[in-house]
Amino acid sequence: MNELYITATEKNRRSRAIIVMTVLGILIISSFIISMNTGYIRLSPLDVLKTVFGSGTSKQELILFDFRLPRIVISVLIGAGFAVSGAIIQGISRNPLSDPGLLGINAGAGLAVVLYISFYPVNEAAPLFFMPFLALVGAGATAVLIYSLSYRKHYGLMPTRMILVGIAVAAGIGAAMLVLTIRLDPNDYQFVSVWLAGSIWGTNWKFVLALLPWILILLPYSFTKAKVLNALNLGDQLAIGLGARVNRERLGLIAAAVGLAGACVAVGGGIGFVGLIAPHLARRLVGPQHQYLLPASALIGALLLIVADTLARWAFQPTDIPTGIVVAVIGAPYFLYLLAKTR
């Protein structure tokens, strides 16, 4: 009887997850279409359709294919990457308030990129494709520092200590970045300031190609580790009893989370809260099991960022505001709500 009940419950969870992810997919497609029509120079749905099928004017093709589509695709990729990174970190730390931005991983990646921007023009092809690697180094070094300061031999990874250490490390990195930006020339300073606020600044397909391999490799890897994350959520002792190689699996998952966050920061700047909000919303919709939570988080993150970027382009036309500001307006109240609910 118990086995039948468990089987029925699992079927219900799977059905619910499929319905939720189908709805999210439809919302993403709808937002994608609306975003193609939104901007200072408006393209009607008919103009977009004509341009997609090759019947648009040269101006419409330039606007759609060279500016809007790359930015929209980058928004989807960055949203999914940040969301899955946050879901992994929350699963590893067993702390619902963890995310790459709060723990300082985004700041570490940002510091490496700011150092890079200080010496190289970002529009050249070779430096552009090198940026995610450099961001990975910065994010990885920060993650190692936070992990080493949060881990205790007889207690393991201490979630509360991890958040406190991450906040302190992020504050220190923020101070270092402030010193670096003061030394930049005015043009670079303006660019870095907007970028640190979370600007989808890559508006051509080179930026898509620089980010895409990281997403295509690390997202599927993360999805295959869903059962490992489920085991780690039970605690190290129970996970070991279930046959999980805890230390090796945790390091692999941390590397995936850091890689996703670093690559997204390299292209999208300091966009915060996506890695915090998306897993929480996904957990409410599909439950805590990571085989459903990770893909649902990716879809919610993609939807959140594409909507935020569309609002950023639409709200104060003809001026674009950084997408990270719109996300922060949404995310900060939700973060305070989570703090109030967390015991």
Side-chain angles (χ1 to χ4, degrees):
M1 181 67 70
N2 287 337
E3 291 181 359
L4 291 175
Y5 175 76
I6 292 172
T7 303
T9 303
E10 181 62 26
K11 286 183 178 179
N12 289 335
R13 287 175 181 168
R14 186 183 298 113
S15 299
R16 179 183 176 86
I18 291 172
I19 293 171
V20 168
M21 285 187 274
T22 301
V23 172
L24 288 171
I26 294 171
L27 290 175
I28 289 172
I29 293 171
S30 302
S31 301
F32 200 103
I33 294 171
I34 292 171
S35 188
M36 286 194 294
N37 299 328
T38 304
Y40 177 61
I41 300 176
R42 189 178 182 279
L43 299 179
S44 68
L46 183 59
D47 290 335
V48 170
L49 191 63
K50 287 180 178 179
T51 307
V52 168
F53 287 99
S55 300
T57 64
S58 58
K59 181 179 179 181
Q60 290 170 342
E61 290 178 356
L62 177 67
I63 293 169
L64 186 62
F65 293 121
D66 292 349
F67 292 102
R68 288 189 188 170
L69 275 179
R71 181 166 175 164
I72 296 169
V73 172
I74 287 172
S75 299
V76 171
L77 295 177
I78 290 176
F82 273 135
V84 173
S85 178
I88 292 172
I89 291 174
Q90 289 177 14
I92 292 171
S93 64
R94 303 195 301 277
N95 192 318
L97 297 180
S98 300
D99 90 303
L102 187 63
L103 294 183
I105 294 173
N106 289 0
L111 178 60
V113 174
V114 169
L115 282 169
Y116 177 72
I117 291 171
S118 302
F119 296 100
Y120 294 97
V122 295
N123 290 322
E124 292 185 7
L128 173 62
F129 286 98
F130 184 65
M131 282 177 63
F133 290 99
L134 198 62
L136 177 61
V137 172
T142 306
V144 169
L145 177 62
I146 293 169
Y147 186 87
S148 62
L149 294 174
S150 307
Y151 187 85
R152 287 294 178 267
K153 186 174 181 181
H154 299 292
Y155 298 97
L157 191 65
M158 303 175 69
T160 303
R161 186 182 181 91
M162 186 177 178
I163 286 184
L164 294 175
V165 169
I167 292 172
V169 170
I173 293 174
M177 282 196 287
L178 181 61
V179 172
L180 285 172
T181 54
I182 291 174
R183 296 171 60 89
L184 295 173
D185 66 67
N187 291 331
D188 288 340
Y189 176 80
Q190 183 179 6
F191 169 78
V192 169
S193 298
V194 174
W195 177 83
L196 289 174
S199 173
I200 308 292
W201 57 284
T203 56
N204 64 60
W205 293 104
K206 290 180 181 179
F207 292 89
V208 176
L209 294 176
L211 179 61
L212 190 60
W214 297 82
I215 302 297
L216 291 180
I217 293 171
L218 294 177
L219 279 192
Y221 170 81
S222 303
F223 294 161
T224 60
K225 295 297 180 179
K227 292 184 178 180
V228 173
L229 280 168
N230 290 338
L232 291 176
N233 268 341
L234 301 174
D236 288 3
Q237 296 301 322
L238 282 175
I240 292 171
L242 293 172
R245 295 172 292 184
V246 172
N247 290 330
R248 181 182 296 182
E249 295 289 2
R250 183 183 284 125
L251 287 175
L253 286 164
I254 289 175
V258 168
L260 286 168
C264 291
V265 168
V267 177
I271 297 175
F273 291 111
V274 177
L276 177 68
I277 297 172
H280 270 277
L281 294 177
R283 199 173 286 112
R284 288 175 177 269
L285 292 172
V286 301
Q289 292 186 325
H290 286 83
Q291 59 266 38
Y292 310 127
L293 177 63
L294 291 176
S297 297
L299 292 172
I300 291 173
L303 177 63
L304 174 62
L305 208 58
I306 194 174
V307 170
D309 186 59
T310 303
L311 290 174
R313 289 189 284 116
W314 170 78
F316 295 98
Q317 293 181 13
T319 302
D320 288 357
I321 62 175
T323 306
I325 293 176
V326 179
V327 176
V329 169
I330 299 170
Y334 191 74
F335 179 66
L336 294 175
Y337 167 77
L338 291 177
L339 284 175
K341 286 290 184 180
T342 301
R343 297 180 180 178

